[in-house]
Amino acid sequence: MKHGKRYTAAAAAIESGKVYDPAEAFAKVEEIATAKFDETIEVHAKLGVDPRQADQQVRGTVVLPNGTGKSVRVLVIAKGEKADIAQKAGADIVGAEEIIAKIQNENYLDFDVVITSPDMMGQLGRVARILGPRGLMPSPKSGTITQDIAKAIADTKAGKVEYRVDKTSIVHCIIGKKSFGAEKLKENFDTLIDAIIKAKPAAAKGTYLKSVYVAPAMGPGIKVNVRA
């Protein structure tokens, strides 16, 4: 694969074979994130699990202390009192059957997160094939099927992210923007890695955190010494 001059220069700034301590890694991320926009910073963690096994799944949510830097549009599927609570809590869109029908008939997807009350899940199943492949289908593990609608909205707006191991045993997750600075990015990184460690399945054997890289959206990865 051929890369542009900017990417090549960024890769040259990373010492080959070096495993960077976290503080040093994020200072380096600031240095190499040279795109003309505020680049998203990502974490890629290779885990010692077999995602084909049901008892070795790694999935959860965590609220990053400094948020993600992204504006999140929240859709709440609820009725009655819970719909009123959602409006007051700052949901961007609130509805019930009419929103479900709009998703189903018009492929309406002008939102980033869907939160719902348990009583609406039966009807929301009609659009599971639309929402599921896009990672938008609510689930108890992500905290988006809940009786406490207000808390779910507050957490989402505050910077809640979902982490989930993929079929190659890697967790990919954003932890903020370049403009956050190294210190705030490291705080978010520490919070995410701590959550992933706590989510280690009992069935996982051997080394759990095999490798962890941080990278700007448009740049190369930097290997991080998580033991530090």
Side-chain angles (χ1 to χ4, degrees), residues 6-7 10 32 39 215-221:
R6 187 186 56 78
Y7 185 100
I32 67 172
E39 288 188 66
M218 303 297 290

Side-chain angles (χ1 to χ4, degrees), residues 132-155:
R134 295 170 172 83
L136 293 171
M137 192 66 184
S139 74
K141 288 186 177 181
S142 66
T144 47
I145 301 175
T146 178
Q147 295 286 7
D148 196 344
I149 297 289
K151 183 179 185 303
I153 294 170
D155 286 348

Side-chain angles (χ1 to χ4, degrees), residues 6-7 29 33 35 37-42 44 174 176-177 214-220:
R6 187 186 56 78
Y7 185 100
V29 164
F37 58 91
D38 192 9
E39 288 188 66
T40 297
I41 307 303
E42 307 164 350
H44 307 279
I174 66 171
K177 298 282 189 177
V214 295
M218 303 297 290

Side-chain angles (χ1 to χ4, degrees), residues 28-203:
K28 183 63 68 173
V29 164
E30 281 193 292
E31 177 189 332
I32 67 172
T34 58
K36 294 180 180 179
F37 58 91
D38 192 9
E39 288 188 66
T40 297
I41 307 303
E42 307 164 350
V43 171
H44 307 279
K46 176 74 171 179
L47 305 184
V49 298
D50 182 355
R52 296 172 298 178
Q53 306 301 319
D55 60 355
Q56 294 190 46
Q57 294 297 310
V58 178
R59 182 181 182 183
T61 61
V62 63
V63 177
L64 301 178
N66 300 300
T68 64
K70 294 180 67 177
S71 178
V72 180
R73 285 181 58 80
V74 176
L75 164 63
V76 173
I77 306 291
K79 287 182 176 181
E81 182 183 1
K82 286 187 172 57
D84 294 337
I85 289 171
Q87 292 278 12
K88 292 176 183 177
D92 298 282
I93 312 154
V94 180
E97 290 90 349
E98 73 283 3
I99 293 291
I100 294 172
K102 191 173 181 179
I103 294 169
Q104 186 174 26
N105 300 325
E106 302 175 27
N107 206 37
Y108 174 69
L109 294 167
D110 191 19
F111 45 83
D112 303 301
V113 175
V114 183
I115 296 169
T116 188
S117 52
D119 59 294
M120 293 299 297
M121 277 305 296
Q123 296 183 59
L124 201 55
R126 289 159 39 196
V127 292
R129 290 186 178 181
I130 298 173
L131 299 180
R134 295 170 172 83
L136 293 171
M137 192 66 184
S139 74
K141 288 186 177 181
S142 66
T144 47
I145 301 175
T146 178
Q147 295 286 7
D148 196 344
I149 297 289
K151 183 179 185 303
I153 294 170
D155 286 348
T156 300
K157 294 283 188 179
K160 183 173 76 172
V161 294
E162 181 177 8
Y163 57 87
R164 183 176 186 176
V165 69
D166 68 11
K167 62 182 181 181
T168 63
S169 305
I170 300 175
V171 171
H172 308 275
C173 195
I174 66 171
I175 56 166
K177 298 282 189 177
K178 176 192 174 181
S179 60
F180 282 21
E183 186 176 342
K184 288 185 177 180
L185 286 170
K186 183 180 177 299
E187 288 175 359
N188 281 359
F189 172 83
D190 289 344
T191 300
L192 173 65
I193 294 299
D194 186 52
I196 291 173
I197 290 170
K198 288 178 179 176
K200 179 182 178 181

